[in-house]
């Protein structure tokens, strides 16, 4: 199985360190607490992301990655992990707060067509127990060139390229730093 040690480590960290919990809203569902169950029919909209970003400069950019570690079944995840989304060029929205304390800002997608892997909503096989769908936020490195990983011609990423995705390997190739925050929901 591909290595995803960093994702596993941050998921363990969010259980005890609430400052590492990424704000994720799908449709009208705010994923709070981490692990919230969302029926698959309600998990189709493109997620909205928020986090108290460490730098609010106009040039700061972030990358969100979403993965399913339980494909095709949590008891037999031999297709996992499955990549569900890579979206670079997220930037802090103009002073839009997502929290009562006013510290978390929404991260807006600068260019929706600029995805590396388009968002694929949950689609576990019939009879499967709920899968965990994780979201991981990275600071985007200066000079990051998303075109290196995008499918040719602006096409959507196919299913085969998403199966058994090694997040650790991609982190290294892309020159990403540590995961800043994470969250997950469950669905089937």
């Amino acid at each position: 199985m591909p290595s995803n040690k960093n994702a596993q480590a941050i998921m363990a960290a969010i259980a005890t360190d609430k400052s590492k919990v990424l704000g994720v809203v799908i449709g009208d569902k705010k994923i709070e607490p981490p692990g919230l169950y969302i029926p698959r029919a309600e998990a189709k909209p493109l997620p909205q992301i928020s986090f108290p970003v460490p730098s609010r400069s106009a040039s700061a950019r972030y990358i969100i990655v979403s993965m399913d570690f339980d494909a095709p079944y949590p008891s037999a995840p031999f297709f996992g992990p499955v990549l569900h989304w890579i979206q670079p060029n997220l930037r802090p929205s103009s002073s839009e707060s997502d929290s009562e304390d006013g510290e978390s800002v929404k991260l807006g997608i600068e260019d929706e067509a600029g995805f590396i892997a388009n968002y694929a909503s949950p689609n576990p096989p019939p009879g499967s127990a709920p899968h965990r769908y994780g979201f991981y936020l990275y600071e985007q490195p200066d000079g990051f060139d998303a075109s290196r990983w995008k499918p040719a011609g602006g096409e959507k990423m196919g299913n085969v390229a998403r199966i058994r995705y090694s997040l650790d390997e991609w982190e290294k190739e892309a020159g990403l730093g540590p995961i800043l925050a994470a969250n997950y929901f469950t669905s089937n």
Side-chain angles (χ1 to χ4, degrees), residues 107-177:
L107 297 176
I109 297 173
E110 193 168 87
D111 175 10
E112 274 190 56
F115 59 78
I116 292 172
N118 56 297
Y119 177 64
S121 62
N123 195 21
S128 176
H131 289 208
R132 296 166 295 153
Y133 294 90
F135 293 84
Y136 310 97
L137 182 70
Y138 299 86
E139 188 160 359
Q140 186 169 302
D142 290 336
F144 180 81
D145 181 9
S147 66
R148 179 175 171 196
W149 293 281
K150 289 182 182 182
E155 296 292 319
K156 293 182 177 181
M157 183 179 276
N159 291 340
V160 172
R162 295 172 183 264
I163 294 172
R164 300 184 52 80
Y165 197 83
S166 175
L167 184 55
D168 287 353
E169 186 177 304
W170 189 73
E171 286 173 346
K172 188 175 179 179
E173 284 181 37
L176 301 179

Side-chain angles (χ1 to χ4, degrees), residues 5-6 9 15 42 60 81 86 99 101 109 122 154 159 163 170 174 178 184 186:
K5 292 178 184 174
N6 296 332
E42 296 175 25
I86 299 179
S99 67
D101 63 13
I109 297 173
N159 291 340
I163 294 172
W170 189 73
Y184 75 101
T186 59

Side-chain angles (χ1 to χ4, degrees), residues 4-165:
N4 295 284
K5 292 178 184 174
N6 296 332
Q8 292 168 348
I10 192 76
M11 289 307 218
I14 67 172
T16 57
D17 185 353
K18 301 302 177 204
S19 72
K20 299 287 186 189
V21 177
L22 182 66
V24 179
V25 175
I26 301 176
D28 64 352
K29 305 284 187 201
K30 184 172 186 176
I31 300 175
E32 193 176 87
L36 178 74
Y37 178 82
I38 301 175
R40 106 163 89 186
E42 296 175 25
K44 292 181 186 278
L46 187 68
Q48 297 174 9
I49 307 299
S50 63
F51 186 68
V53 295
S55 170
R56 293 190 185 208
S57 73
S59 63
R61 300 288 183 267
Y62 299 88
I63 297 172
I64 191 76
V65 176
S66 179
M67 299 186 69
D68 171 1
F69 288 97
D70 299 320
Y73 300 99
S75 60
F78 52 86
F79 284 149
V82 173
L83 178 65
H84 275 258
W85 191 28
I86 299 179
Q87 179 70 57
N89 295 319
L90 295 172
R91 59 181 169 70
S93 297
S94 57
S95 304
E96 287 188 60
S97 177
D98 185 52
S99 67
E100 292 173 11
D101 63 13
E103 291 183 17
S104 292
V105 294
K106 289 183 181 177
L107 297 176
I109 297 173
E110 193 168 87
D111 175 10
E112 274 190 56
F115 59 78
I116 292 172
N118 56 297
Y119 177 64
S121 62
N123 195 21
S128 176
H131 289 208
R132 296 166 295 153
Y133 294 90
F135 293 84
Y136 310 97
L137 182 70
Y138 299 86
E139 188 160 359
Q140 186 169 302
D142 290 336
F144 180 81
D145 181 9
S147 66
R148 179 175 171 196
W149 293 281
K150 289 182 182 182
E155 296 292 319
K156 293 182 177 181
M157 183 179 276
N159 291 340
V160 172
R162 295 172 183 264
I163 294 172
R164 300 184 52 80
Y165 197 83

